[in-house]
Amino acid sequence: MKTFIEPFKIKTIEEIPITTIEQRTQFLEDANNNPFSLRSEHITIDLLTDSGTTAMSAKQWAALMDGDESYAGSRSYYKFENIVRDITGFKHIIPTHQGRAAEKILFSVVGGKGLTIPNNTHFDTTRANIEYSLCDAVDCPVEVGTKPDVTAPFKGNIDLEKLEAVIKKAGPENIPLSMITVTNNSGGGQPVSMQNIRETKELLSKYNIPFFIDCCRFAENAYFIKMREPGYENKTIKEIAQEMFSYADGATMSAKKDGLSNTGGFLACNDDKLAEKAKTMLIITEGFVTYGGLARRDLEALARGFVEVLEESYLEYRIKQVENLGNQLIEAGVPILVPTGGHAVYLDAKRFAPHIAPEFFPGQAIANEIYRISGVRTVEIGSLMFGKKDENNNHVAPPMELVRLAIPRRVYTQSHIDYIAEAVIEVYNNREKLRKMKIVWEAEFLRHFTIKMEYID
Ligand code: F0G
C-alpha cells in the first residue's frame, strides 16, 4: 500500500480552537510578538514543541491508575528503573521532573569556573545550566551539520577533530565530561551514527573523560541508525539503543520526548561517587530518590512509554509523518533543512526571507506570520534563541537561522499535516511582505521564552 496510516485509532478527542485572522493579529500584538506568550486556547495547531505534548496510549492511562504513591520505595519507581536500566544499562537511575532538572543536578555537581563541556550541539537549557555553573559550553558539530541545504545521513554527528582540539586547548583535566545529544535538536533534529558514538567514546577514553548522552530522542536516533547505517538493518530498535548506551558513562534525559509522556526525566550514570552527590542534590531540590519530583503515577506512564517508543510501527509512522510534511514543503519550493529530522521540520529562514538580515530576526518574522494566517504556532531557533552580542554590542549570529515545526507525538493526523503545509507555503509565497523585527525587552538567560518584540517599518 502507498498510503501510510497512523498505527492507532482515536479513543478520546480534544477540541482545537478555531480563530479568525483578525483575532490572531490582536493575540500576537498582545503577546508582544512572541509566540511563547500566546495562550494555548488561541492556537489551532501547536508545533512549539514535541516536549510533554504527546498523546498517551490507553495502556499508559490505565497504568496511571495503578500508580503507587508511596513517598519512598514506590513500586512504580522500580518499574521505571527496570525498563530504563534494561535499555541503558546504567547502574544509577535518578528520576527528575524533566530534562533540565537532570542537567541542573549534573552540572551543579561536576560544573564550575574554568571547566569546559563539549557537545555536538548543546540544547538551550543544557547550555544555560552549564553556563550558570560558570562552565564553558562548546559546540562541535560536523561541518555538514551547519549547512541546511546539504543532505547527509548523520548530520548530527560530533566533529572528532574539533572535539580533540577543544580537549587539548582546555586540558583534559578541565573537562569533567563530554556530551552527545541524540538526535541533535538544535542542529535540526539530525541523527548521530553509531560509528560516531563509538569513536567519540574511544577519543574520550584516551583522555580519561567521561562520556554522557543527552538522550531525549534516543529511540528516534536508533530508528535512523537502523534505516541508514550499514550493519544495523536487522537489529531491533532496543538492541541499537542498548549499543548506543553501552559506550556511555551516563545520560541525561527529558522523558517528555521519547518517554512518550507529559512529564519526567532522569539522570543516569555508572559512577558511584557522582551518583551519591547527585542523589543528595536531588533530595535537596527535586524530591526523594524514588520519585524525583514526579507523581509516582507518572513513573508508571513512563515505564509503559519506554516500551511503546521502541515499537518499530510507532517509529516508522513517527518519522514518516515528519518526512511527509517536509516533502510537501520541498515540492512547493520552500527552503527547509534537509533531510527532515526525527521530531521536526526546520524552515531555513536565511533562504526563506533573505531580505531580513539575522540581526532583524527573520525566523521570528516567519513564525509570527505563520501563526497570524493559520493559527499554527512554531518556534524560532536562530538569532533570537542563540544570538549574542560582542564587546562592541554587535550582533553575533548562530550558524543557522531556523524556524522549527516540532510535531507532537501521536497527536495530529494527516489532514492536520496538510493544513500546516498549506499555511507555510502561503507565507512563503508572500515572503517579500515579511518585516524586520527588534527586541524591546529581554531576560538575562533563555531570553526567547519571555522576550518582547516589535516590527521595524
Ligand atoms: N535536551 C534536549 C536535546 C532537549 O531537546 C530538551 C528539551 C532538553 C534537553 C531539556 O528537557 O524540557 O524536559 O527540561 N527540549 C524541548 C524542545 C523543550 O522544545 O525541544 P526539558
Side-chain angles (χ1 to χ4, degrees), residues 36 48-51 97-103 121-126 181-186 214-217 252-257 264-265 343 346 379 381 404 406 449:
F36 273 104
L48 186 74
T49 181
D50 63 319
S51 181
H97 78 275
Q98 62 181 86
R100 71 198 69 181
E103 294 164 359
T121 312
H122 288 286
F123 183 66
D124 59 358
T125 61
T126 323
T181 302
V182 298
T183 55
N184 188 358
N185 185 10
S186 308
D214 175 341
C215 66
C216 301
R217 299 177 181 85
T252 54
M253 175 155 195
S254 167
K256 297 166 75 174
K257 286 82 169 173
H343 65 295
Y346 294 68
V379 67
I381 299 195
R404 187 181 72 171
F449 286 125

Side-chain angles (χ1 to χ4, degrees), residues 9 32 103 251 331 333 451:
K9 58 184 176 175
N32 297 295
E103 294 164 359
E331 273 165 34
I451 208 152

Side-chain angles (χ1 to χ4, degrees), residues 229-240:
E229 191 162 349
Y232 290 92
E233 9 341 52
N234 298 321
K235 295 210 188 274
T236 64
I237 300 298
K238 186 168 165 188
E239 286 166 343
I240 296 171

